[in-house]
Amino acid sequence: MKAGKVRASTNIVCTISDDRGEEPTYAGVPMSELIEKDYSVGDVMALLWFKRSLPKWATKFLEMCLIIAADHGPCVSGAHNTIIAARAGKDLVACVASGLLTIGPRFGGAIDDAARDFKRARDSGQSPEEFVESMKKAGTRISGIGHRIKSAENPDKRVTLLLDYADRHFPEAVYKDYALKVQAYTLTKANNLILNVDGCIGALICDMLASCGSFTDEEVQEVLDIGTLNGLFIQARTIGLIGHALDQK
């Protein structure tokens, strides 16, 4: 090894960026190109998260998700924890970390599960009614369905905006359509069992990945399996949590 004839195995591997040349690159794209060609935040997310460029309608959708999920008032668990930590005199990093650690199945962390459930059920040929009843029989909460305040008579405007964008720009949206059929069935049971923002983003991300022409079926499944989609909520809500922490100063 000392003679340079044996190479020690690496402890980590990085495939998303490289800083060994004259300028950093994201998924092989030089920093100068990112700036000179006006790459957006969504374009950079595509490079660093998916290791490839995506169509403009797709990266615009990612940016919409960041805007829509950036904040939801001071009463949700993440903002509440951040505010309490800020009032206790903690620094910005600690305040934001306190809020982020509340993200889970009942606060912002249902996007991955909703996407996996809707995709599995739709791809297996399960009808929306069969899907709902099978989840009920298993005693499993349906991720992406239900809201404490919003209802069929008082829909979530964020969901409406996302669905409208998909209708106008997505080449196809079979998972969105499936999720809406699930909603139609759950609404026969209670008027607050609507498709919520987590479920909407989850279904639409499945459609984005499947219809943009950049992923194989196996790659789409891998994106869902490794927790990528919850990262979208984490990135978005960090913007709001920073705001809440600064607001208390």
Side-chain angles (χ1 to χ4, degrees):
M1 186 177 295
K2 291 182 177 179
K5 295 181 179 180
V6 178
R7 182 176 179 178
S9 61
T10 57
N11 292 319
I12 63 170
V13 175
C14 177
T15 62
I16 64 171
S17 60
D18 196 334
D19 64 350
R20 292 173 295 178
E22 293 184 1
E23 58 181 316
T25 61
Y26 294 167
V29 180
M31 186 63 62
S32 56
E33 181 177 333
L34 299 175
I35 301 302
E36 292 166 2
K37 294 188 177 180
D38 292 326
Y39 277 59
S40 67
V41 170
D43 295 325
V44 172
M45 289 172 62
L47 293 174
L48 293 179
W49 289 19
F50 305 117
K51 307 177 187 179
R52 68 203 73 189
S53 295
L54 295 180
K56 211 61 182 175
W57 62 264
T59 57
K60 174 64 176 177
F61 171 71
L62 294 176
E63 292 169 5
M64 277 189 65
C65 292
L66 295 183
I67 295 170
I68 282 174
D71 197 49
H72 201 210
C75 297
V76 295
S77 55
H80 181 268
N81 268 29
T82 296
I83 290 169
I84 294 300
R87 298 300 292 177
K90 301 296 289 184
D91 62 85
L92 181 61
V93 173
C95 294
V96 173
S98 175
L100 289 175
L101 289 173
T102 66
I103 294 175
R106 298 190 182 184
F107 172 58
I111 302 177
D112 275 312
D113 285 340
R116 285 192 287 259
D117 288 345
F118 289 145
K119 186 176 188 300
R120 171 185 51 78
R122 192 266 174 188
D123 289 354
S124 67
Q126 209 173 18
S127 73
E129 295 80 9
E130 291 170 339
F131 167 65
V132 173
E133 294 302 329
S134 68
M135 297 291 276
K136 179 181 178 181
K137 184 176 181 180
T140 304
R141 179 191 297 268
I142 301 177
S143 297
I145 294 290
H147 201 284
R148 291 183 180 274
I149 300 172
K150 298 298 182 179
S151 66
E153 293 78 24
N154 180 31
D156 190 333
K157 185 64 174 179
R158 299 172 300 172
V159 172
T160 303
L161 291 169
L162 289 168
L163 293 176
D164 179 65
Y165 182 84
D167 287 341
R168 289 185 289 113
H169 297 286
F170 279 38
E172 59 180 356
V174 297
Y175 298 106
K176 181 261 295 182
D177 293 342
Y178 186 86
L180 290 175
K181 290 176 182 177
V182 170
Q183 173 186 247
Y185 184 65
T186 55
L187 283 175
T188 65
K189 300 176 179 296
N191 74 344
N192 70 325
L193 293 180
I194 59 173
L195 181 67
N196 59 39
V197 71
D198 289 351
C200 185
I201 291 175
L204 288 176
I205 288 287
C206 286
D207 285 319
M208 183 196 82
L209 296 173
S211 63
C212 71
S214 300
F215 299 88
T216 65
D217 291 342
E218 291 76 17
E219 288 173 331
V220 171
Q221 192 60 52
E222 181 181 7
V223 168
L224 302 184
D225 288 342
I226 64 175
T228 308
L229 276 58
N230 283 348
L232 192 60
F233 184 85
I234 293 169
Q235 181 177 359
R237 192 50 59 95
T238 297
I239 299 170
L241 296 182
I242 290 172
H244 282 294
L246 297 177
D247 187 41
Q248 300 303 313
K249 301 297 185 180

